[in-house]
Amino acid sequence: MTEFLPGNAITLLANGGDFFPALQEAIDGAQKEIFLETYIFENDATGSLIAAALRRAAVRGVAVRLLVDGFGGREFVRTLMSELIPDGVGVMIYRRELRTLALRRHRLRRMHRKLAVIDGAVAFVGGINIIDDLQGGLLERPRFDYAVRVEGPLLGPILESMHRLWRLVSWARLGRRLHDPLLVPAKTEPAGTVRAAFVTRDNLRRRRDIEDAYLEAIDSARTEVLIACAYFFPGRRFRQALVDAAERGVRVSLLLQGVSDHPMLCHATRALYPFFLGRGIRLFEYHHSHLHAKVAVVDRRWATVGSSNIDPFSLLLAREANVVIDDVLFATELDASLQRAIASGARELRREDWRRLPMLRRVTSWISYQLVRLAIGVAGYGGKH
């Protein structure tokens, strides 16, 4: 069962336009300690702004602890990292990539979390990397994504998780455990009225916590399930939960990528379209820009925002982090934001649309589906998940 804590203040942040100014303001106001985790830290205008804020903090005596994934942050290692360290920013790389073409199973075990905690007082959780909203594509509109700003009791488990991973990576790098205490404990006094939980996924104690939180909400849904997900490749258990909800009269809608930055995963997802469409589940593809969101709303009461996609790489391999929120006002706000995105930038697909697709498109989807399944098998996973 998901463990909710009452008394939080949680603010929805849409896209980098909301997120990066809020993050930079918090960093610039830091007095003692900053933790920041990200999968990608790009050397672009946004990355330079956040890097400069971290450097300013370190120069004025703030302990800055930056953890970047070794695969997603390959560009960061080559460029920005050397600029941060001389100013006193503490930088560590999670599973640093040393050989580009190495085919090792553990290469798929990435640190995909996007988290920040400043002075134990404010946290950011979501799916937004440190990268320009417009970077990496030909579209003129910003990447579609979400994060949340958190104050209150939820700071406790968020900061504990980040501190634990920082010490774990320190130990893995140096070969010995370090006494590296927090400089500022989490400020867990009530700050609002929102019930929320911090849910993570790792390869030890919390292997299925995020998936189980989703399934718990879907299984109890009465009216509506709306999921927006960049990379959607659910296992049998998740697919069946959606089908069961649709069969008992719940409106189940999926907002997925129409313009993909990883075409193979997108094509693999499309191989599942006939299954969903044949069981009363509505599908929308977002074509306004790159959809990078990983959020959901159930019954306009339960919501989640975080880094975890609904695919085997997130649910079975990567380190992920989501906030789960039990609050009508927040869920209604997120639902309204998603409905606006569907109305302005998405196209609904129907069963006849799939049948009219050229045979080459359908064969490409089938081949991509099999290749993704093969990758999962190589990593040592499969079966009903």
Side-chain angles (χ1 to χ4, degrees), residues 86-130:
D87 283 327
V89 176
V91 180
M92 286 198 294
I93 306 301
Y94 184 88
R95 292 187 181 273
R96 186 166 181 172
E97 286 288 293
L98 299 177
R99 291 185 295 171
T100 303
L101 299 178
L103 296 176
R104 293 168 294 170
R105 282 170 49 178
H106 76 262
R107 289 191 71 198
L108 297 175
R109 297 179 182 269
R110 306 316 320 178
M111 196 282 296
H112 197 241
R113 310 191 325 180
K114 292 91 177 177
L115 300 172
V117 174
I118 290 83
D119 284 342
V122 59
F124 296 88
V125 183
I128 304 177
N129 288 294
I130 309 299

Side-chain angles (χ1 to χ4, degrees), residues 18-28 36 50 116 118 124 130:
D18 285 349
F19 173 66
F20 293 121
L23 177 63
Q24 183 177 347
E25 180 183 7
I27 293 171
D28 282 336
L36 177 62
I50 299 303
I118 290 83
F124 296 88
I130 309 299

Side-chain angles (χ1 to χ4, degrees), residues 213-221 225 227 238 241-242 245 248 250 298:
Y214 265 99
L215 294 175
E216 181 183 322
I218 294 168
D219 288 344
S220 64
V225 172
I227 297 173
F238 203 104
L242 294 175
R248 64 177 184 267
V250 177
V298 175

